[in-house]
């Protein structure tokens, strides 16, 4: 079968069910649900998958809003990955309604094309809740959700179409300093200022930025800075995110961050308590062979893919998936101009007919990757060799 013919057939199969994909995307967009509360979104997908004849397990990995759908069995097994949680106040300002729609469309089309040509292949669709800081995939990995799966993939909306250029590992911490309250004017010498410790930590981190590589990021906010100006704060709290595209650097950053907290303690005679905030994510490890197929398919489908000048700086729990099995997390454009993710503009764009058109084309490109992986042994070997090489380089 010609590669172009394969892509055309996959896209045609997806378009034949366009009304159902539109209904799913719109329904999820109109019912935004936060991490681990995606009851409606999960239920709509499970219902549709069962109507298509997939075997669906829900709950999955101990999570009520996770699911696994299977068609076929054994190895090789290729997993399409769905996300569907929303953002506080912004709803689907990250377009996860389109992610789950594309994943279902890709799994369906791949299954139908395998059936048409009487080809074996094990298709898995993983419904993963709580990507927005909740770490659903990390928790699912703890339950061995990728055991028996040979590669995994998802697509994500953006303002432009690109291959997977990676993402940052992220570790999130809250620091609470404790001092001693006193009257700020009448007896300041009796106090120990917890807010000063927070401010000194910020100053230390800001000075540190000039020694960080371009691939690293650090940013924070003050959560609690005291009650009144005439009371020396006996407690103050802040939250920081540390990010790096390199796993070795995230380790260095955490160690330095903890040393800076200790320094702020010593300078203010306070005590600080560090606690992990949310689940840490690993950086993404994009598979070049899979990226190449997606890019070429996206180009053929008119998605106008581009290669960015630098890698991604956001974070995703798919990073942990990509260090466990070969995988990619490329993007498709939902606008004809640049718009910010996690914004009202992006939420509005995610509900447009244009965005649905783009998502279904991206689904066909994703299905092309999955179909080749399941039917082309040489491609599978190349994917695995590149995955093994990427791990050898980081050891």
């Amino acid at each position: 079968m010609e590669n172009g013919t394969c892509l055309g057939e996959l896209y045609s199969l997806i378009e034949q069910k366009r009304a159902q994909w539109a209904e799913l995307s719109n329904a999820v967009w109109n019912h935004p649900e936060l991490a681990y509360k995606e009851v409606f979104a999960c239920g709509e997908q499970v219902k549709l998958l069962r109507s298509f004849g997939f075997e669906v397990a829900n709950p999955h990995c101990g999570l009520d809003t996770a699911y696994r759908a299977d068609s076929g069995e054994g190895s090789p097994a290729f997993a399409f990955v769905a996300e569907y949680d929303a953002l506080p106040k912004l709803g689907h300002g990250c377009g996860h309604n389109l992610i789950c729609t594309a994943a279902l469309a890709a799994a369906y089309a791949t299954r139908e094309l395998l059936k048409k040509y009487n080809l074996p292949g094990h298709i898995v669709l993983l419904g993963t809740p709580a990507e927005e800081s909740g770490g659903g995939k990390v928790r699912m990995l703890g339950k061995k959700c990728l055991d028996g799966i040979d590669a995994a993939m998802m697509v994500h909306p953006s303002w432009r179409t690109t291959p997977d250029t990676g993402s940052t590992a992220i570790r999130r911490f809250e620091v609470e300093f404790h001092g001693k309250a006193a009257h700020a004017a009448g007896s300041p010498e009796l106090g120990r200022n917890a807010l000063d410790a927070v401010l000194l930590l910020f100053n230390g981190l800001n000075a540190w930025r000039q020694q960080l590589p371009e691939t690293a990021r650090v940013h924070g906010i003050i959560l609690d800075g005291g009650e009144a100006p005439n009371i020396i704060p006996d407690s103050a709290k802040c939250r920081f995110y540390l990010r790096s595209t390199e796993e070795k650097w995230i380790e260095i950053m955490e160690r330095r961050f903890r040393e800076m907290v200790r320094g702020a303690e010593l300078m203010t005679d306070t005590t600080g308590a560090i606690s992990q905030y949310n689940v840490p994510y690993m950086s993404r490890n994009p598979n070049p062979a899979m990226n190449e197929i997606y890019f070429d398919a996206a180009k053929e489908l008119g998605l106008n893919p581009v290669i960015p000048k630098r890698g991604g700086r956001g974070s995703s729990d798919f990073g942990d998936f990509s260090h466990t099995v070969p995988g990619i997390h490329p993007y498709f454009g939902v606008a004809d101009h640049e718009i910010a993710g996690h914004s009202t503009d992006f939420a509005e764009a995610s509900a447009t007919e244009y965005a649905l058109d783009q998502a279904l084309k991206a689904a066909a490109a994703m299905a092309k990757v999955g179909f080749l992986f399941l039917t082309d042994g040489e491609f599978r070997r190349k994917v695995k060799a590149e995955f093994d090489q990427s791990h050898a380089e980081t050891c």
Side-chain angles (χ1 to χ4, degrees):
M1 185 194 312
E2 294 290 333
N3 282 345
T5 303
C6 161
L7 181 61
E9 288 189 275
L10 289 166
Y11 185 53
S12 177
L13 286 164
I14 289 170
E15 278 293 306
Q16 289 170 21
K17 297 289 184 180
R18 184 184 182 88
Q20 287 172 287
W21 311 133
E23 183 178 1
L24 173 63
S25 180
N26 291 334
V28 174
W29 190 91
N30 282 305
H31 293 81
E33 298 164 304
L34 301 182
Y36 298 115
K37 298 179 180 178
E38 313 95 325
V39 175
F40 176 83
C42 181
E44 289 297 293
Q45 293 169 78
V46 167
K47 181 171 60 177
L48 187 56
L49 285 163
R50 285 176 175 157
S51 76
F52 289 151
F54 282 81
E55 295 183 11
V56 186
N58 166 247
H60 184 55
C61 292
L63 301 175
D64 289 341
T65 55
Y67 67 83
R68 172 172 168 151
D70 285 79
S71 177
E73 58 185 13
S75 184
F78 189 91
F80 298 102
V81 179
E83 295 174 1
Y84 33 90
D85 58 323
L87 292 160
K89 298 184 180 179
L90 289 174
H92 281 288
C94 203
H96 289 194
N97 59 303
L98 298 169
I99 295 176
C100 62
T101 300
L104 265 70
Y108 170 81
T110 306
R111 194 272 304 269
E112 291 303 297
L113 198 60
L114 289 173
K115 285 170 58 177
K116 177 179 178 179
Y117 291 101
N118 196 29
L119 296 170
H122 185 183
I123 300 163
V124 179
L125 180 56
L126 289 175
T128 62
E131 186 277 331
E132 298 290 354
S133 299
K137 295 179 190 63
V138 179
R139 291 181 61 179
M140 291 173 70
L141 274 174
K143 298 290 186 178
K144 304 186 182 303
C145 72
L146 292 182
D147 280 13
I149 291 173
D150 298 288
M153 180 181 181
M154 60 174 284
V155 290
H156 197 294
S158 175
W159 68 274
R160 60 184 176 178
T161 300
T162 74
D164 185 354
T165 57
S167 68
T168 55
I170 186 170
R171 297 187 185 180
R172 295 165 272 219
F173 299 100
E174 285 188 355
V175 184
E176 186 166 6
F177 289 97
H178 296 280
K180 185 177 181 181
H183 195 292
S187 53
E189 72 278 5
L190 299 180
R192 298 196 303 277
N193 197 316
L195 179 58
D196 281 348
V198 167
L199 296 176
L200 285 166
L201 178 57
F202 267 88
N203 287 334
L205 287 163
N206 286 333
W208 182 37
R209 294 176 196 274
Q210 62 185 313
Q211 279 86 46
L212 286 172
E214 194 278 330
T215 52
R217 297 285 188 271
V218 56
H219 33 270
I221 58 171
I222 296 175
L223 299 173
D224 178 18
E227 299 297 330
N230 63 343
I231 304 173
I232 290 177
D234 62 353
S235 68
K237 183 186 291 187
C238 52
R239 181 182 297 160
F240 283 94
Y241 289 4
L242 311 179
R243 303 183 196 249
S244 175
T245 60
E246 301 176 73
E247 293 298 322
K248 67 177 182 180
W249 260 100
I250 202 71
E251 297 289 344
I252 294 169
M253 291 174 72
E254 179 176 342
R255 184 167 62 250
R256 183 71 178 274
F257 176 75
R258 291 180 179 275
E259 290 170 349
M260 288 184 181
V261 172
R262 178 59 179 152
E265 289 179 311
L266 292 172
M267 285 186 285
T268 56
D269 195 21
T270 59
T271 58
I274 304 173
S275 59
Q276 181 177 287
Y277 174 76
N278 282 338
V279 180
Y281 297 167
M282 297 182 74
S283 60
R284 279 207 307 273
N285 178 35
N287 186 269
M290 294 171 70
N291 250 344
E292 182 180 0
I293 297 299
Y294 177 81
F295 187 91
D296 290 346
K299 186 175 181 179
E300 187 173 341
L301 289 162
L303 284 168
N304 302 317
V306 298
I307 299 176
K309 293 180 180 179
R310 64 166 176 81
R313 295 295 180 264
S315 305
S316 165
D317 58 1
F318 190 85
D320 293 68
F321 269 28
S322 70
H323 284 272
T324 306
V325 298
I328 55 170
H329 176 290
Y331 296 86
F332 61 93
V334 296
D336 58 4
H337 61 284
E338 185 171 0
I339 54 175
H342 289 205
S343 68
T344 54
D345 286 345
F346 206 96
E348 291 169 2
S350 298
T352 63
E353 194 69 17
Y354 178 81
L356 179 65
D357 288 341
Q358 297 287 92
L360 297 186
K361 290 176 181 176
M366 179 163 53
K368 170 71 175 292
V369 178
F371 185 82
L372 280 184
F373 188 87
L374 292 172
T375 60
D376 187 331
E378 183 178 347
F379 178 61
R380 280 198 304 276
R381 286 188 288 275
K382 184 177 182 181
V383 167
K384 185 177 186 305
E386 291 178 342
F387 177 74
D388 292 342
Q389 179 62 31
S390 70
H391 273 237
E393 290 171 354
T394 57
C395 290

